[in-house]
mmCIF file of all heavy atoms in Angstrom:
data_model
loop_
_atom_site.group_PDB
_atom_site.id
_atom_site.type_symbol
_atom_site.label_atom_id
_atom_site.label_comp_id
_atom_site.label_asym_id
_atom_site.label_seq_id
_atom_site.Cartn_x
_atom_site.Cartn_y
_atom_site.Cartn_z
ATOM 1 N N GLY A 1 0.806 -1.196 -0.040
ATOM 2 C CA GLY A 1 0.066 -0.064 0.005
ATOM 3 C C GLY A 1 0.779 1.277 0.011
ATOM 4 O O GLY A 1 2.021 1.187 0.315
ATOM 5 N N LEU A 2 0.266 2.384 -0.328
ATOM 6 C CA LEU A 2 0.842 3.701 -0.440
ATOM 7 C C LEU A 2 -0.105 4.694 0.185
ATOM 8 O O LEU A 2 -1.212 4.628 -0.079
ATOM 9 C CB LEU A 2 1.094 4.071 -1.865
ATOM 10 C CG LEU A 2 1.715 5.386 -2.193
ATOM 11 C CD1 LEU A 2 3.220 5.198 -2.029
ATOM 12 C CD2 LEU A 2 1.366 5.767 -3.554
ATOM 13 N N GLN A 3 0.550 5.498 1.180
ATOM 14 C CA GLN A 3 -0.257 6.602 1.795
ATOM 15 C C GLN A 3 0.565 7.887 1.478
ATOM 16 O O GLN A 3 1.717 7.980 1.723
ATOM 17 C CB GLN A 3 -0.370 6.366 3.220
ATOM 18 C CG GLN A 3 -1.158 7.418 3.940
ATOM 19 C CD GLN A 3 -1.295 7.172 5.390
ATOM 20 O OE1 GLN A 3 -2.011 6.132 5.764
ATOM 21 N NE2 GLN A 3 -0.784 7.941 6.283
ATOM 22 N N VAL A 4 -0.262 8.855 0.941
ATOM 23 C CA VAL A 4 0.470 10.157 0.680
ATOM 24 C C VAL A 4 -0.293 11.223 1.557
ATOM 25 O O VAL A 4 -1.561 11.248 1.635
ATOM 26 C CB VAL A 4 0.230 10.533 -0.830
ATOM 27 C CG1 VAL A 4 0.814 11.900 -1.174
ATOM 28 C CG2 VAL A 4 0.884 9.507 -1.686
ATOM 29 N N THR A 5 0.561 11.948 2.166
ATOM 30 C CA THR A 5 -0.041 13.121 3.023
ATOM 31 C C THR A 5 0.447 14.423 2.341
ATOM 32 O O THR A 5 1.714 14.509 1.909
ATOM 33 C CB THR A 5 0.591 13.047 4.477
ATOM 34 O OG1 THR A 5 0.197 11.747 4.962
ATOM 35 C CG2 THR A 5 0.031 14.143 5.403
ATOM 36 N N GLY A 6 -0.350 15.494 2.290
ATOM 37 C CA GLY A 6 0.055 16.629 1.574
ATOM 38 C C GLY A 6 -0.906 17.801 1.787
ATOM 39 O O GLY A 6 -1.745 17.761 2.750
ATOM 40 N N ARG A 7 -0.847 18.727 0.869
ATOM 41 C CA ARG A 7 -1.761 19.939 0.952
ATOM 42 C C ARG A 7 -2.592 19.946 -0.321
ATOM 43 O O ARG A 7 -1.999 19.618 -1.440
ATOM 44 C CB ARG A 7 -0.940 21.118 0.989
ATOM 45 C CG ARG A 7 -0.080 21.193 2.275
ATOM 46 C CD ARG A 7 -0.166 22.234 3.282
ATOM 47 N NE ARG A 7 -0.760 23.498 2.948
ATOM 48 C CZ ARG A 7 -1.745 24.023 3.809
ATOM 49 N NH1 ARG A 7 -2.012 23.415 4.865
ATOM 50 N NH2 ARG A 7 -2.170 25.204 3.497
ATOM 51 N N ALA A 8 -3.878 20.168 -0.193
ATOM 52 C CA ALA A 8 -4.667 20.287 -1.464
ATOM 53 C C ALA A 8 -4.872 21.803 -1.902
ATOM 54 O O ALA A 8 -4.740 22.710 -1.047
ATOM 55 C CB ALA A 8 -6.120 19.750 -1.000
ATOM 56 N N GLU A 9 -5.015 21.797 -3.263
ATOM 57 C CA GLU A 9 -5.264 23.147 -3.841
ATOM 58 C C GLU A 9 -6.345 22.942 -4.856
ATOM 59 O O GLU A 9 -6.257 21.993 -5.532
ATOM 60 C CB GLU A 9 -3.923 23.540 -4.519
ATOM 61 C CG GLU A 9 -3.999 24.802 -5.345
ATOM 62 C CD GLU A 9 -2.648 25.127 -6.015
ATOM 63 O OE1 GLU A 9 -1.594 24.512 -5.706
ATOM 64 O OE2 GLU A 9 -2.669 25.895 -6.957
ATOM 65 N N ILE A 10 -7.274 23.855 -4.971
ATOM 66 C CA ILE A 10 -8.356 23.769 -5.873
ATOM 67 C C ILE A 10 -7.866 24.609 -7.078
ATOM 68 O O ILE A 10 -7.567 25.770 -6.954
ATOM 69 C CB ILE A 10 -9.620 24.390 -5.315
ATOM 70 C CG1 ILE A 10 -10.050 23.717 -4.053
ATOM 71 C CG2 ILE A 10 -10.824 24.276 -6.331
ATOM 72 C CD1 ILE A 10 -10.200 22.197 -4.070
ATOM 73 N N ILE A 11 -7.839 24.003 -8.299
ATOM 74 C CA ILE A 11 -7.320 24.611 -9.411
ATOM 75 C C ILE A 11 -8.489 25.419 -10.081
ATOM 76 O O ILE A 11 -9.564 24.818 -10.221
ATOM 77 C CB ILE A 11 -6.749 23.564 -10.474
ATOM 78 C CG1 ILE A 11 -5.639 22.762 -9.758
ATOM 79 C CG2 ILE A 11 -6.255 24.219 -11.711
ATOM 80 C CD1 ILE A 11 -4.382 23.595 -9.240
ATOM 81 N N GLU A 12 -8.276 26.528 -10.564
ATOM 82 C CA GLU A 12 -9.256 27.350 -11.297
ATOM 83 C C GLU A 12 -9.819 26.708 -12.383
ATOM 84 O O GLU A 12 -9.045 26.187 -13.254
ATOM 85 C CB GLU A 12 -8.562 28.708 -11.617
ATOM 86 C CG GLU A 12 -9.565 29.686 -12.290
ATOM 87 C CD GLU A 12 -10.538 30.326 -11.244
ATOM 88 O OE1 GLU A 12 -10.214 30.359 -10.084
ATOM 89 O OE2 GLU A 12 -11.648 30.586 -11.745
ATOM 90 N N PRO A 13 -11.172 26.570 -12.439
ATOM 91 C CA PRO A 13 -11.896 25.896 -13.556
ATOM 92 C C PRO A 13 -11.464 26.509 -14.946
ATOM 93 O O PRO A 13 -11.433 27.748 -15.011
ATOM 94 C CB PRO A 13 -13.287 26.081 -13.176
ATOM 95 C CG PRO A 13 -13.387 26.108 -11.782
ATOM 96 C CD PRO A 13 -12.121 27.014 -11.408
ATOM 97 N N PHE A 14 -11.125 25.649 -15.815
ATOM 98 C CA PHE A 14 -10.801 26.034 -17.184
ATOM 99 C C PHE A 14 -9.567 26.899 -17.239
ATOM 100 O O PHE A 14 -9.300 27.433 -18.426
ATOM 101 C CB PHE A 14 -12.037 26.611 -17.909
ATOM 102 C CG PHE A 14 -13.232 25.722 -17.816
ATOM 103 C CD1 PHE A 14 -14.325 26.084 -16.956
ATOM 104 C CD2 PHE A 14 -13.195 24.448 -18.532
ATOM 105 C CE1 PHE A 14 -15.355 25.250 -16.816
ATOM 106 C CE2 PHE A 14 -14.212 23.674 -18.438
ATOM 107 C CZ PHE A 14 -15.368 23.993 -17.504
ATOM 108 N N SER A 15 -8.626 26.924 -16.303
ATOM 109 C CA SER A 15 -7.396 27.503 -16.337
ATOM 110 C C SER A 15 -6.546 26.564 -17.310
ATOM 111 O O SER A 15 -6.892 25.476 -17.606
ATOM 112 C CB SER A 15 -6.783 27.638 -15.020
ATOM 113 O OG SER A 15 -6.591 26.419 -14.404
ATOM 114 N N GLU A 16 -5.300 27.030 -17.553
ATOM 115 C CA GLU A 16 -4.378 26.136 -18.338
ATOM 116 C C GLU A 16 -4.102 24.940 -17.686
ATOM 117 O O GLU A 16 -4.035 23.762 -18.335
ATOM 118 C CB GLU A 16 -3.070 26.982 -18.591
ATOM 119 C CG GLU A 16 -2.097 26.401 -19.526
ATOM 120 C CD GLU A 16 -0.917 27.223 -19.798
ATOM 121 O OE1 GLU A 16 -1.050 28.401 -19.948
ATOM 122 O OE2 GLU A 16 0.215 26.590 -19.869
ATOM 123 N N GLU A 17 -3.918 24.891 -16.412
ATOM 124 C CA GLU A 17 -3.475 23.681 -15.698
ATOM 125 C C GLU A 17 -4.768 22.832 -15.528
ATOM 126 O O GLU A 17 -4.561 21.547 -15.639
ATOM 127 C CB GLU A 17 -3.122 24.050 -14.211
ATOM 128 C CG GLU A 17 -2.625 22.932 -13.410
ATOM 129 C CD GLU A 17 -2.027 23.309 -12.071
ATOM 130 O OE1 GLU A 17 -2.181 24.484 -11.611
ATOM 131 O OE2 GLU A 17 -1.407 22.463 -11.418
ATOM 132 N N TYR A 18 -5.953 23.358 -15.454
ATOM 133 C CA TYR A 18 -7.197 22.555 -15.442
ATOM 134 C C TYR A 18 -7.353 21.787 -16.704
ATOM 135 O O TYR A 18 -7.610 20.598 -16.865
ATOM 136 C CB TYR A 18 -8.435 23.606 -15.193
ATOM 137 C CG TYR A 18 -9.701 22.906 -15.012
ATOM 138 C CD1 TYR A 18 -10.227 22.683 -13.826
ATOM 139 C CD2 TYR A 18 -10.440 22.641 -16.211
ATOM 140 C CE1 TYR A 18 -11.658 22.116 -13.699
ATOM 141 C CE2 TYR A 18 -11.821 22.142 -16.016
ATOM 142 C CZ TYR A 18 -12.230 21.796 -14.829
ATOM 143 O OH TYR A 18 -13.533 21.321 -14.719
ATOM 144 N N ILE A 19 -7.319 22.544 -17.875
ATOM 145 C CA ILE A 19 -7.450 22.055 -19.215
ATOM 146 C C ILE A 19 -6.355 20.949 -19.466
ATOM 147 O O ILE A 19 -6.589 19.874 -20.054
ATOM 148 C CB ILE A 19 -7.389 23.036 -20.262
ATOM 149 C CG1 ILE A 19 -8.636 23.903 -20.134
ATOM 150 C CG2 ILE A 19 -7.294 22.494 -21.648
ATOM 151 C CD1 ILE A 19 -8.604 25.252 -20.978
ATOM 152 N N TYR A 20 -5.049 21.237 -18.976
ATOM 153 C CA TYR A 20 -4.034 20.231 -19.208
ATOM 154 C C TYR A 20 -4.425 18.845 -18.528
ATOM 155 O O TYR A 20 -4.157 17.846 -18.985
ATOM 156 C CB TYR A 20 -2.687 20.721 -18.594
ATOM 157 C CG TYR A 20 -1.688 19.756 -18.669
ATOM 158 C CD1 TYR A 20 -0.869 19.566 -19.882
ATOM 159 C CD2 TYR A 20 -1.279 18.929 -17.588
ATOM 160 C CE1 TYR A 20 0.127 18.571 -19.872
ATOM 161 C CE2 TYR A 20 -0.193 18.057 -17.614
ATOM 162 C CZ TYR A 20 0.371 17.790 -18.760
ATOM 163 O OH TYR A 20 1.371 16.914 -18.806
ATOM 164 N N ALA A 21 -4.894 18.933 -17.204
ATOM 165 C CA ALA A 21 -5.232 17.791 -16.380
ATOM 166 C C ALA A 21 -6.479 17.022 -17.223
ATOM 167 O O ALA A 21 -6.428 15.824 -17.200
ATOM 168 C CB ALA A 21 -5.622 18.191 -15.009
ATOM 169 N N ALA A 22 -7.406 17.778 -17.603
ATOM 170 C CA ALA A 22 -8.487 17.145 -18.291
ATOM 171 C C ALA A 22 -8.048 16.325 -19.556
ATOM 172 O O ALA A 22 -8.376 15.125 -19.668
ATOM 173 C CB ALA A 22 -9.540 18.165 -18.695
ATOM 174 N N GLU A 23 -7.159 16.983 -20.274
ATOM 175 C CA GLU A 23 -6.790 16.328 -21.538
ATOM 176 C C GLU A 23 -5.772 15.152 -21.307
ATOM 177 O O GLU A 23 -5.879 14.138 -21.924
ATOM 178 C CB GLU A 23 -5.964 17.380 -22.381
ATOM 179 C CG GLU A 23 -6.903 18.363 -23.027
ATOM 180 C CD GLU A 23 -6.095 19.450 -23.781
ATOM 181 O OE1 GLU A 23 -4.916 19.680 -23.540
ATOM 182 O OE2 GLU A 23 -6.736 20.297 -24.502
ATOM 183 N N TRP A 24 -4.986 15.247 -20.190
ATOM 184 C CA TRP A 24 -4.196 14.200 -19.736
ATOM 185 C C TRP A 24 -4.984 13.028 -19.290
ATOM 186 O O TRP A 24 -4.750 11.823 -19.586
ATOM 187 C CB TRP A 24 -3.292 14.554 -18.564
ATOM 188 C CG TRP A 24 -2.236 13.580 -18.257
ATOM 189 C CD1 TRP A 24 -1.095 13.336 -18.821
ATOM 190 C CD2 TRP A 24 -2.291 12.630 -17.179
ATOM 191 N NE1 TRP A 24 -0.395 12.314 -18.238
ATOM 192 C CE2 TRP A 24 -1.106 11.819 -17.134
ATOM 193 C CE3 TRP A 24 -3.251 12.386 -16.123
ATOM 194 C CZ2 TRP A 24 -0.949 10.751 -16.252
ATOM 195 C CZ3 TRP A 24 -3.029 11.324 -15.243
ATOM 196 C CH2 TRP A 24 -1.857 10.502 -15.327
ATOM 197 N N LYS A 25 -6.181 13.209 -18.657
ATOM 198 C CA LYS A 25 -7.108 12.117 -18.249
ATOM 199 C C LYS A 25 -8.135 11.678 -19.214
ATOM 200 O O LYS A 25 -8.941 10.885 -19.009
ATOM 201 C CB LYS A 25 -7.852 12.649 -16.934
ATOM 202 C CG LYS A 25 -6.892 12.706 -15.763
ATOM 203 C CD LYS A 25 -7.599 13.150 -14.509
ATOM 204 C CE LYS A 25 -8.356 12.139 -13.699
ATOM 205 N NZ LYS A 25 -7.594 11.007 -13.333
ATOM 206 N N LYS A 26 -7.941 12.310 -20.544
ATOM 207 C CA LYS A 26 -8.803 12.053 -21.669
ATOM 208 C C LYS A 26 -10.216 12.422 -21.380
ATOM 209 O O LYS A 26 -11.222 11.648 -21.730
ATOM 210 C CB LYS A 26 -8.557 10.640 -22.063
ATOM 211 C CG LYS A 26 -7.150 10.317 -22.566
ATOM 212 C CD LYS A 26 -7.012 8.932 -23.129
ATOM 213 C CE LYS A 26 -5.694 8.562 -23.574
ATOM 214 N NZ LYS A 26 -4.505 9.280 -23.390
ATOM 215 N N ILE A 27 -10.509 13.472 -20.671
ATOM 216 C CA ILE A 27 -11.790 14.086 -20.432
ATOM 217 C C ILE A 27 -12.006 15.230 -21.399
ATOM 218 O O ILE A 27 -11.145 16.246 -21.353
ATOM 219 C CB ILE A 27 -11.982 14.513 -18.935
ATOM 220 C CG1 ILE A 27 -11.643 13.384 -17.977
ATOM 221 C CG2 ILE A 27 -13.382 15.163 -18.726
ATOM 222 C CD1 ILE A 27 -11.662 13.834 -16.592
ATOM 223 N N PRO A 28 -12.904 15.112 -22.315
ATOM 224 C CA PRO A 28 -13.199 16.206 -23.210
ATOM 225 C C PRO A 28 -13.502 17.550 -22.574
ATOM 226 O O PRO A 28 -14.471 17.504 -21.767
ATOM 227 C CB PRO A 28 -14.281 15.689 -24.179
ATOM 228 C CG PRO A 28 -14.391 14.224 -23.897
ATOM 229 C CD PRO A 28 -13.887 13.993 -22.483
ATOM 230 N N VAL A 29 -12.746 18.605 -22.802
ATOM 231 C CA VAL A 29 -13.079 19.821 -22.174
ATOM 232 C C VAL A 29 -14.375 20.386 -22.531
ATOM 233 O O VAL A 29 -15.125 21.054 -21.640
ATOM 234 C CB VAL A 29 -11.881 20.819 -22.471
ATOM 235 C CG1 VAL A 29 -12.259 22.237 -21.920
ATOM 236 C CG2 VAL A 29 -10.509 20.452 -21.982
#
């Protein structure tokens, strides 16, 4: 198993980072 502890950040909807993540996960923007 793997456990990750960290800090969460909400990414601005439809920002460059948001669109990149959607495309990487193959979710049509």
Side-chain angles (χ1 to χ4, degrees):
L2 179 81
Q3 179 176 300
V4 179
T5 305
R7 303 234 345 131
E9 178 183 341
I10 307 301
I11 303 302
E12 181 68 31
F14 305 107
S15 65
E16 186 175 323
E17 188 172 9
Y18 183 98
I19 292 169
Y20 175 82
E23 290 173 346
W24 188 83
K25 293 180 83 52
K26 298 184 180 9
I27 301 171
V29 176

